[in-house]
Amino acid sequence: MIDVRSATVQFGGVTALKEVDLAVDRGRVCAVIGPNGSGKTTLFNTISGFVSPTAGSVLVDGRDVTRVAADGRARLGLARTFQTPRVDVEATVRETVLCGFLPSTRSGLLAALIRTPRVQREERRLATEVDELLERFGLEGHAGHRLSELPMGLVRIVDVARAMAMRPKYLLLDEPAAGLTTDEQQLLVSEIRRVAGEGVGVLLVEHNFVLVQDVSEHVVVLERGAVLAEGAPGVVAEDPRVVDVYLGVTDEDSALETT
Ligand SMILES: Nc1ncnc2c1ncn2[C@@H]1O[C@H](COP(=O)(O)OP(=O)(O)O)[C@@H](O)[C@H]1O
Ligand SMILES: [Mg+2]
């Protein structure tokens, strides 16, 4: 379980998070929603280790990781995507997904340079696993395409595939559905469900409440850095305070509409 305990984050005079508690269980999808600026990305960064909380703590499977850097948390099984994918746009889809596997390869650099039989076996195993992931995410037709040639929606899906290549215990997704077509969103939703079904704990930071209702078991609503409401998606959607927050923002931001 990822356990965020009373996390507070201050940036100068701005309190981006206020005493937020959050739990992400293995095998379940937990969503964090809220208007722009409500602290979703800050909470996400606090969990993944890109932001240090001013107060409070983050535990992963019972271990306090509050002072563990992001790469250390990745080794503990946390994989994340970025709201703006941090990918090399000149790399191909295949190369990008392959990169996700690299931290888990076993051979040393010298063995890799002289391509020992073990390295060759490992390369074949990786090639097969990359193919499987590409197929699973509907990317096999794009394997040789550079990311610069793809629409942003597909780049996000490539980024999710790269994160899954790390075989994480927890998958943290920051607004993965932004810019996706309806079909791509459906693909993403079914992949998120499948990933959770395999025992991965998923934290989904998302603006689009329709997608959240579709895929998550538990929803946490942030407003101005604090938890406004939480519970099952159906319950949260009917909460008048939540409706207020969403009706108080611009049309573009209003994600509660179900049409
Ligand atoms: N690195 C930062 N430095 C200063 N202020 C920040 C920083 N990151 C976020 N904030 C502020 O913290 C608040 C929450 O931002 P953020 O977590 O990005 O919200 P969300 O992801 O919900 O849109 C906002 O007021 C934002 O301006
Ligand atoms: Mg954000």
Side-chain angles (χ1 to χ4, degrees), residues 74-245:
R75 280 194 294 275
L76 288 172
L78 264 57
R80 68 165 292 173
T81 64
F82 288 87
Q83 194 168 350
T84 306
R86 292 193 186 176
V87 288
D88 175 359
V89 294
E90 289 308 310
T92 66
V93 168
R94 181 164 239 291
E95 287 162 353
T96 305
V97 174
L98 183 63
C99 278
F101 280 102
L102 294 184
S104 70
T105 54
R106 272 176 236 106
S107 308
L109 181 61
L110 182 63
L113 285 174
I114 58 179
R115 299 191 76 244
T116 60
R118 177 180 167 166
V119 167
Q120 292 177 35
R121 271 200 307 282
E122 190 159 58
E123 282 177 358
R124 282 196 297 274
R125 176 180 66 82
L126 280 180
T128 311
E129 289 187 29
V130 171
D131 287 341
E132 282 168 9
L133 264 181
L134 291 178
E135 200 173 315
R136 189 170 146 176
F137 284 90
L139 294 168
E140 66 274 23
H142 296 291
H145 294 165
R146 289 182 200 287
L147 298 189
S148 55
E149 300 171 65
L150 302 183
M152 185 48 87
L154 275 180
V155 173
R156 286 182 189 283
I157 290 187
V158 172
D159 202 25
V160 174
R162 177 200 54 76
M164 281 308 293
M166 295 167 67
R167 296 190 180 288
K169 288 186 196 157
Y170 301 96
L171 178 63
L172 315 175
L173 305 170
D174 194 0
E175 303 213 15
L180 265 58
T181 65
T182 313
D183 281 355
E184 289 164 354
Q185 286 192 13
Q186 278 313 311
L187 175 71
L188 183 73
V189 163
S190 63
E191 274 320 310
I192 290 174
R193 283 211 195 95
R194 175 148 60 160
V195 164
E198 289 170 0
V200 175
V202 180
L203 177 71
L204 176 66
V205 165
E206 186 50 64
H207 217 78
N208 180 337
F209 196 79
V210 178
L211 186 122
V212 163
Q213 271 187 304
D214 225 16
V215 75
S216 59
E217 278 109 13
H218 189 81
V219 179
V220 174
V221 186
L222 288 183
E223 193 212 10
R224 296 186 203 180
V227 175
L228 176 73
E230 65 176 304
V235 176
V236 165
E238 313 252 290
D239 189 319
R241 291 169 305 169
V242 176
V243 175
D244 264 3
V245 162

Side-chain angles (χ1 to χ4, degrees), residues 31-45:
V32 174
I33 63 166
N36 273 332
S38 58
K40 302 183 298 294
T41 297
T42 302
L43 175 58
F44 192 94
N45 285 340

